[in-house]
Amino acid sequence: MSAEEVGPARLGQLIREARRARRWTQRDLAEESGVSIETIKRYENGKTNSPEADLIRNIIRALNIPVVEIPIALGLVTRDELDPPPAPPRQFDPLVEEAIAILRDPDMSETARQGALTYLQFLQNQNTPETRKPGTGESRPRAS
């Protein structure tokens, strides 16, 4: 059976290989999973077009097959679709990027870093809605 094959035949192959890897008979798997030997034989031989979800869950639990393998075996998704590419790095305004670079500078002392953060917080507080001049976005002095 080719690695490209998907569907009930591939699911059956996955179950059979996992069972054999444990050196279990179909009877052993039936006892461990609570699924009848007849159903296990049917699944292993790919003789079902619509495997029953609860029975498949019992079988894969007994065989310790990762759940993610089931939709892959059935051809519902590909492995690539389950491993999405990493998110692109966040991009900030150039001034923010510069501030981040300064704060990440390994040569900056922790005291200087804390001072810079305190100053940035001060500036942020100076530019809150209650301190902006109406209609300009410019800061006005806070009332004391």
Side-chain angles (χ1 to χ4, degrees):
M1 190 174 303
S2 78
E4 309 293 315
E5 193 167 350
V6 293
R10 175 65 187 114
L11 178 62
Q13 179 185 17
L14 179 70
I15 292 169
R16 184 173 37 262
E17 288 172 357
R19 177 180 59 78
R20 287 178 176 168
R22 289 179 167 266
R23 294 192 161 100
W24 283 1
T25 65
Q26 289 175 335
R27 181 174 305 285
D28 294 331
L29 178 54
E31 290 173 7
E32 290 295 320
S33 66
V35 176
S36 74
I37 293 175
E38 293 76 23
T39 299
I40 291 169
K41 286 179 183 181
R42 196 170 32 121
Y43 286 171
E44 285 190 5
N45 292 321
K47 302 286 186 197
T48 182
N49 288 330
S50 55
E52 297 88 351
D54 57 331
L55 299 179
I56 293 297
R57 275 195 288 280
N58 290 348
I59 291 169
I60 65 168
R61 246 185 246 122
L63 292 170
N64 203 26
I65 297 172
V67 174
V68 71
E69 295 299 324
I70 302 309
I72 293 170
L74 289 172
L76 301 174
V77 295
T78 66
R79 196 166 302 284
D80 290 340
E81 290 170 326
L82 292 175
D83 294 327
R90 295 191 325 190
Q91 295 182 356
F92 298 102
D93 176 270
L95 287 175
V96 174
E97 293 286 353
E98 185 177 359
I100 291 171
I102 291 168
L103 292 170
R104 286 187 174 162
D105 182 350
D107 296 330
M108 180 182 255
S109 72
E110 190 57 34
T111 303
R113 191 177 336 279
Q114 287 302 318
L117 282 172
T118 300
Y119 182 67
L120 288 171
Q121 290 165 344
F122 167 78
L123 291 176
Q124 181 182 31
N125 289 333
Q126 292 300 306
N127 198 26
T128 59
E130 65 271 5
T131 62
R132 282 192 205 118
K133 293 180 186 174
T136 66
E138 293 179 26
S139 292
R140 63 178 178 207
R142 284 184 168 213
S144 303

